[in-house]
Amino acid sequence: MQVQTTVDQEVKAFDCLHFINGQYVVSHNGKTFNNVNPANEEVLGQVSEGGKEEIDLAVAAAKKALNGPWKKMTLNDRIAVIRRIGDIILERKDELAKLESLDTGKPYWLASTIDIPRSAYNFHFFADYLRGLGTEAYQTDDVAINYAIRRPVGVVGLINPWNLPLLLLTWKLAPCLAAGNTTVIKPAELTPMTATLLGEICREAGVPDGVVNIVHGFGPDSAGSALTEHPDVDAISFTGETTTGKVIMKAAAQSLKKLSYELGGKNPNIIFADSDLDEVIETTLKSSFINQGEVCLCGSRIYVERPVYEQFVEKFVAKTKELVVGDPFDPKTKVGALIGEEHYSRVMSYVELAKEEGGQILTGGRRPEGLEKGFYLEPTIIAGLDRNCRVVQEEIFGPVVTVIPFDSEEEVIAQANDTHYGLSASIWTNDLRRAHRVAGQIEAGIIWVNTWFLRDLRTPFGGMKQSGIGREGGMHSFEFYSELTNICIKL
Ligand code: NAD
């Protein structure tokens, strides 16, 4: 299907097939489902619906490929192949960005400046990291020498969400390949297109057949559960909802798979009165509403110290009203469409719940005028809610934030930690001692001071409490995607 976008070129949406053992294939029973464009609710194409049969084929191919040419490749050759995947992604950046925008409803400029370049960088970064990777060695007096060797875990299942489809998939795939594993990928059912193209990109880069397999389908009773239950899958790296993580853990327990979890968040954004409010507001607009608020790291609970609360709210509401919501391919658009009908209804239900819980909608909370088709919602700011309200406690994953005043450091730390999530936090202050003091007490895996979403891929990334298990990034990714064997030699 040819889709005319408002950017200079057309892009071809396509039917998404599985990629198994180096070939694109349909499902054994021919089953497909619609891929819907969130911006206008039109069908972009058909997606092959995989199940146990396709997962069995993909896992068998991945298992066989573990001991094939991939294992025999020299370090230099493997690094070159992984780098080449990144190069091809950059060569096809515009096409991939348009497809990502069509699939997700996110602004095209966002896909082309963040999602796709970062996807390419994931391969470049982990390929380079691989060259310097070592292990440990210890001499035990004059008795023995111990050294560890690193080996792949085996067949790894990579299960992905829809909000940053290619970026998060490649964040897993790059270190997974660098560590020598083979893989079966289950992309999110709502965003299948860039994952589908990744199959041919890997093939062109020189990845041997069977090393990267991609099976489309749903989660429960479908491709997702078949992957997590499969006895020949050695590890699962999952990014998605906390509730899904709990289901996967049960399934994976049958064969005691290694698990890495990046789950939901309800992240505090803590603003002290001594911070530079204009800078705070500029970044808070992004940390609240970028990608339609559909980023696990978004700071959806905004706590503002009382002396500047009124001033902050007034400016923040005014700036939020200026954000253009609409056509993802219009360069003026700051907020695109939410991912789909079901998610849109869920986000809207939280807006209604906020009213029932006594909240005041300061701006937003409704579909923008003139946008009857597509899953659009005006960026929404809610005040007046108590810390125990469901809207303050539960992840909404949309352009909806709450603002709450606070009076002391102790109070805001207690409120920030008062949730079962622990993914990220932002702290705004010009007091260096306070920054250290507060950061040391917030229960989150990633904390930013006077910034947000500034990432160095060498650093540990992940959540505590019910926001995740394990860390990814740099060495931490290699820890997950490899097994260490200690060899002890008596001298
Ligand atoms: P989701 O949990 O509904 O789905 C994620 C993936 O899991 C999809 O591919 C889905 O098909 C699959 N799945 C669902 N049920 C399954 C099952 N029973 N067995 C196997 N696979 C199954 O999540 P979503 O709605 O796609 O994504 C949004 C969520 O992801 C939010 O909670 C968000 O916070 C989280 N997220 C976290 C991070 C992070 O780094 N911590 C990053 C992005 C998104």
Side-chain angles (χ1 to χ4, degrees), residues 464-479:
M464 53 170 70
K465 292 154 83 176
Q466 293 195 21
S467 284
I469 296 178
R471 296 291 181 270
E472 295 184 355
M475 191 60 216
H476 307 279
S477 292
F478 282 100
E479 293 296 351

Side-chain angles (χ1 to χ4, degrees), residues 64 101 114 168 266 272 303 306 329 340 358 369 393 486:
K64 186 159 173 243
S101 175
I114 305 265
L168 290 175
K266 185 77 180 177
F272 284 98
Y303 297 99
R306 201 172 300 271
F329 286 95
E369 272 175 35
Q393 288 290 328
N486 185 65

Side-chain angles (χ1 to χ4, degrees), residues 159-160 162 186 189 224 238-241 244 262-264 296 395:
I159 304 180
N160 299 278
W162 44 259
K186 213 299 277 169
E189 53 271 34
F238 168 73
T239 301
E241 282 199 22
T244 311
E262 305 283 4
L263 307 176
C296 56
E395 184 183 43

Side-chain angles (χ1 to χ4, degrees), residues 360-378:
Q360 300 122 39
I361 313 291
L362 301 182
T363 183
R366 54 181 187 203
R367 178 180 277 277
E369 272 175 35
L371 289 172
E372 274 75 42
K373 280 273 176 198
F375 306 110
Y376 296 100
L377 171 62
E378 286 181 1

Side-chain angles (χ1 to χ4, degrees), residues 108-135:
Y108 163 72
W109 62 260
L110 185 62
S112 71
T113 54
I114 305 265
D115 292 67
I116 308 306
R118 233 315 280 287
S119 303
Y121 184 60
N122 284 337
F123 290 100
H124 292 154
F125 171 83
F126 282 107
D128 292 347
Y129 204 98
L130 181 58
R131 195 178 292 285
L133 200 64
T135 55

Side-chain angles (χ1 to χ4, degrees), residues 73 108 195 247 283 321 367 399 413:
M73 228 179 241
Y108 163 72
V247 176
T283 304
K321 284 183 173 162
R367 178 180 277 277
I413 292 168

Side-chain angles (χ1 to χ4, degrees), residues 135-136 146-152 482-488:
T135 55
E136 6 173 17
N146 288 273
Y147 66 94
I149 57 167
R150 188 178 294 283
R151 294 193 269 204
S482 45
E483 287 286 7
L484 291 175
T485 297
N486 185 65
I487 298 175
C488 175

